[in-house]
């Protein structure tokens, strides 16, 4: 009787353990599925955003894809609006087929100049900032149209599809002007100086923005935001216009009459 009892008891334990193993495997499998279903287009804090971009660029080279770098933040409606369009079935197919995409979280306007300057772009002038890069050379293929993404949430999906379908179809000859493009020494010095000023504004805005996101809007935030927006918008407009005219001139499409490199008045806090 005792032997029979122990036999049945042992058999029962084995069956329980088998059942638990199956349940554990089922839960683990479900966990994998739910992870795959998560939206990959999110701005997640990273300990090494620059390394993330480097790694993505290397993968793009290895897979013969374009590199797509998006700098933005979860608090920014244009950044999240772009992420929502990217997650659509149509855009997701395009991005997975032709791009190695990396989202870079800028937090509360943190310094990401090391990333933008990797591709000869001084700083992010808006969130989101979208960079379409030829990964072997680091050439910025959408240099003359980056400003549109500052209003990403208002751009219809059809325009997203058209825009991001365009770059994979570019020929070597069409890419060449962007690969060969270089800022003048004067432009480089100017862009570096103005990017430093803009980052100083971001550094002042960042802590105020963090408080605002916690529900404690500090006095003067809106005024400072508007002042900084006016500065960064004009800077980017000039940068893009000069690049457009430079590229047109290289292609023999007219005389290069680039706008002057404007010098701005001090920020309000710089006058105190």
């Amino acid at each position: 009787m005792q032997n029979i009892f122990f036999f049945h008891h042992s058999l029962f334990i084995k069956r329980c353990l088998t059942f638990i193993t199956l349940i554990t495997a089922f839960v683990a499998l479900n966990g994998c599925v739910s992870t795959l279903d998560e939206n990959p287009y999110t701005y997640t804090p990273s300990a090494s955003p620059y390394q993330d971009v480097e790694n993505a660029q290397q993968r793009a080279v290895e897979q013969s894809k374009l590199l797509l770098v998006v700098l933005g933040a979860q608090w920014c409606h244009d950044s999240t609006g772009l992420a929502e369009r990217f997650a659509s079935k149509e855009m997701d197919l395009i991005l997975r087929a032709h791009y190695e995409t990396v989202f870079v979280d800028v937090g509360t306007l943190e310094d990401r100049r090391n990333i933008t300057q990797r591709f000869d772009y001084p700083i992010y002038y808006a969130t989101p900032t979208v960079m379409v890069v030829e990964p072997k050379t680091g050439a910025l293929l959408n240099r003359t149209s980056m400003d549109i993404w500052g209003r990403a949430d208002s751009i219809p999906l059809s325009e997203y599809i058209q825009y991001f379908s365009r770059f994979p179809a570019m020929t070597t000859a069409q890419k060449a002007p962007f690969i060969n493009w270089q800022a003048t020494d004067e432009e480089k010095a100017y862009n570096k100086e103005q990017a430093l000023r803009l980052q100083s504004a971001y550094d002042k805005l960042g802590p105020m923005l963090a408080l605002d996101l916690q529900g404690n809007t500090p006095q003067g935030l809106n005024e400072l935001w508007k002042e900084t927006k006016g500065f960064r918008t004009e800077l980017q407009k000039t940068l893009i216009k000069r690049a457009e005219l430079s590229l047109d001139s290289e292609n023999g499409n007219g005389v290069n009459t680039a706008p002057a490199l404007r010098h701005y008045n001090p920020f309000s806090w710089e006058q105190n």
Side-chain angles (χ1 to χ4, degrees):
M1 286 284 295
Q2 192 173 15
N3 288 339
I4 294 173
F5 170 79
F6 281 120
F7 171 78
H8 285 293
H9 186 66
S10 176
L11 185 60
F12 174 76
I13 291 173
K14 287 180 180 178
R15 286 174 177 171
C16 286
L17 289 173
T18 301
F19 180 73
I20 291 170
T21 301
L22 289 171
I23 290 293
T24 303
F26 177 77
V27 170
L29 182 60
N30 276 350
C32 290
V33 171
S34 65
T35 300
L36 289 172
D37 287 341
E38 289 177 2
N39 181 4
Y41 308 113
T42 56
Y43 307 91
T44 306
S46 169
S48 53
Y50 185 84
Q51 187 64 53
D52 295 341
V53 173
E54 273 194 324
N55 293 343
Q57 186 172 359
Q58 183 59 41
R59 290 194 300 272
V61 171
E62 292 169 356
Q63 298 172 20
S64 298
K65 293 182 177 181
L66 295 173
L67 173 65
L68 179 56
V69 181
V70 181
L71 298 99
Q74 287 299 117
W75 51 261
C76 169
H77 76 281
D78 282 305
S79 294
T80 54
L82 178 136
E84 288 171 7
R85 306 300 195 286
F86 274 17
S88 68
K89 182 179 179 180
E90 298 89 341
M91 274 301 301
D92 187 55
L93 285 171
I94 293 169
L95 296 176
R96 290 183 186 276
H98 300 292
Y99 294 90
E100 181 63 36
T101 304
V102 56
F103 270 42
V104 177
D105 179 38
V106 303
T108 49
L109 303 178
E110 294 167 13
D111 193 347
R112 296 289 183 264
R113 282 175 292 171
N114 60 342
I115 291 174
T116 59
Q117 290 174 9
R118 180 178 177 85
F119 308 111
D120 290 327
Y121 204 71
I123 193 171
Y124 61 88
Y125 296 95
T127 52
T129 286
V130 177
M131 311 179 83
V132 179
V133 178
E134 198 292 306
K136 290 182 181 179
T137 62
L140 193 54
L141 299 180
N142 68 330
R143 181 177 295 279
T144 57
S145 60
M146 290 173 63
D147 56 328
I148 68 170
W149 298 109
R151 53 180 179 84
D153 191 50
S154 64
I155 297 176
L157 179 61
S158 59
E159 291 187 27
Y160 275 77
I161 294 169
Q162 183 180 25
Y163 187 91
F164 289 100
S165 296
R166 187 171 83 209
F167 298 101
M170 289 178 74
T171 65
T172 302
Q174 289 171 327
K175 292 177 184 177
F178 295 94
I179 293 172
N180 297 327
W181 179 90
Q182 282 191 338
T184 65
D185 290 341
E186 181 187 16
E187 285 174 327
K188 289 177 183 177
Y190 176 85
N191 290 337
K192 184 177 181 180
E193 177 188 353
Q194 300 306 323
L196 180 62
R197 289 193 67 214
L198 180 54
Q199 187 58 52
S200 73
Y202 288 165
D203 291 343
K204 193 168 184 67
L205 273 171
M208 300 174 76
L209 176 59
L211 287 173
D212 183 63
L213 293 173
Q214 295 169 10
N216 302 311
T217 304
Q219 185 177 1
L221 171 61
N222 291 336
E223 292 76 14
L224 183 57
W225 187 274
K226 289 178 183 177
E227 186 178 0
T228 303
K229 182 179 180 180
F231 176 64
R232 61 181 172 82
T233 300
E234 286 301 316
L235 276 179
Q236 187 178 41
K237 188 185 300 183
T238 300
L239 185 75
I240 287 176
K241 188 63 177 177
R242 288 180 69 93
E244 282 179 349
L245 292 170
S246 174
L247 289 164
D248 283 346
S249 178
E250 288 178 14
N251 291 330
N253 294 329
V255 179
N256 184 353
T257 54
L261 296 174
R262 175 182 169 187
H263 290 277
Y264 296 85
N265 293 326
F267 286 115
S268 58
W269 70 86
E270 293 175 331
Q271 298 174 4
N272 297 331

